[in-house]
Amino acid sequence: MYPLNYFLFLQIILFLFITPGTPRIVIISYSMNYGVQKCIWTALGDITANFIQATLVIFVIGSFFSDNPNFLNIFKWVGVTYILYLAYDLYKSKPKDVSSDNISAKSLFSFFRDGFLVAGTSPKAWMFFPLIFPQFIDFNGNYVVQFFILISTYIVLDFLSLMAYAVLARKLIVWIKANPKVINTISACVLVIIAIIIVFMQKY
């Protein structure tokens, strides 16, 4: 794994994590309704689903990539297209309102289950892991070690970002409503730059 590839990976996931997608909207809502501590279980459910998704993608189709290295080039262009789509979707999207209705008692398992299902059924996650995640693994080398480096980085940063949303929920909601386009516009521009870098730097 080259440091530049790892740096690009960090850039992509950081900008995916700071944008208020479905898992973060759920975390914000739960933080307001049930408190930050309960959100820990929702975040754990989220990263558990992501770990399973990444494992299935890499170890089920990893041998295919090793036997067909040229196929990664196709995935690269599909991945670049998806990043550009994310940038467009992000730029066009509007912050969603978080409702504080329907407050009820929930078990710890239900918080974990909600996080797991939200992440496990997220179309963006199922697009990210097959299309973008493999781009940063050399399947001709020790891809098991590379996998654990990347997925550990992903899980730790994902968990920390989810908890940051939980802790700063009320402030974030106020700021996003007051500046509805700033964070989306900046993140969209950076995603476009990352897509361009991948086009020229990722060679197979």
Side-chain angles (χ1 to χ4, degrees):
M1 180 189 304
Y2 298 102
L4 179 60
N5 291 357
Y6 184 73
F7 180 67
L8 288 176
F9 178 77
L10 284 176
Q11 286 182 306
I12 291 175
I13 63 175
L14 283 174
F15 276 93
L16 287 178
F17 292 159
I18 67 173
T19 54
T22 304
R24 279 138 191 86
I25 295 298
V26 172
I27 283 286
I28 290 173
S29 178
Y30 282 5
S31 177
M32 295 180 67
N33 293 336
Y34 305 104
V36 174
Q37 290 185 340
K38 298 294 179 64
C39 291
I40 293 175
W41 293 94
T42 305
L44 288 174
D46 181 284
I47 62 176
T48 299
N50 289 155
F51 179 80
I52 292 174
Q53 289 168 321
T55 301
L56 288 175
V57 167
I58 298 304
F59 293 103
V60 171
I61 65 176
S63 58
F64 175 80
F65 284 136
S66 180
D67 297 335
N68 302 273
N70 291 333
F71 198 78
L72 276 176
N73 196 50
I74 298 175
F75 265 63
K76 180 185 79 171
W77 287 105
V78 176
V80 166
T81 302
Y82 176 62
I83 291 176
L84 293 175
Y85 162 75
L86 280 181
Y88 174 79
D89 185 59
L90 191 57
Y91 179 75
K92 286 293 187 180
S93 66
K94 297 179 180 179
K96 300 178 181 179
D97 292 328
V98 177
S99 174
S100 59
D101 298 333
N102 301 321
I103 300 177
S104 59
K106 290 170 63 69
S107 67
L108 294 181
F109 174 76
S110 67
F111 284 103
F112 180 90
R113 180 200 61 206
D114 291 348
F116 184 90
L117 291 177
V118 167
T121 58
S122 170
K124 287 186 177 181
W126 281 111
M127 291 292 286
F128 173 81
F129 285 110
L131 300 181
I132 299 176
F133 193 79
Q135 302 293 328
F136 300 93
I137 294 180
D138 179 10
F139 287 97
N140 293 316
N142 190 341
Y143 68 87
V144 175
V145 173
Q146 297 175 56
F147 167 80
F148 280 107
I149 292 173
L150 292 179
I151 194 60
S152 296
T153 302
Y154 184 98
I155 286 175
V156 169
L157 292 179
D158 190 16
F159 182 82
L160 291 177
S161 70
L162 286 168
M163 295 313 301
Y165 266 83
V167 172
L168 302 175
R170 289 180 176 82
K171 292 183 179 180
L172 282 173
I173 291 171
V174 172
W175 192 89
I176 290 173
K177 286 184 176 179
N179 305 272
K181 295 299 295 181
V182 175
I183 188 171
N184 285 359
T185 301
I186 292 175
S187 297
C189 291
V190 172
L191 285 176
V192 171
I193 293 173
I194 290 173
I196 294 172
I197 292 174
I198 289 177
V199 169
F200 290 101
M201 298 302 298
Q202 299 281 50
K203 304 296 181 181
Y204 301 103

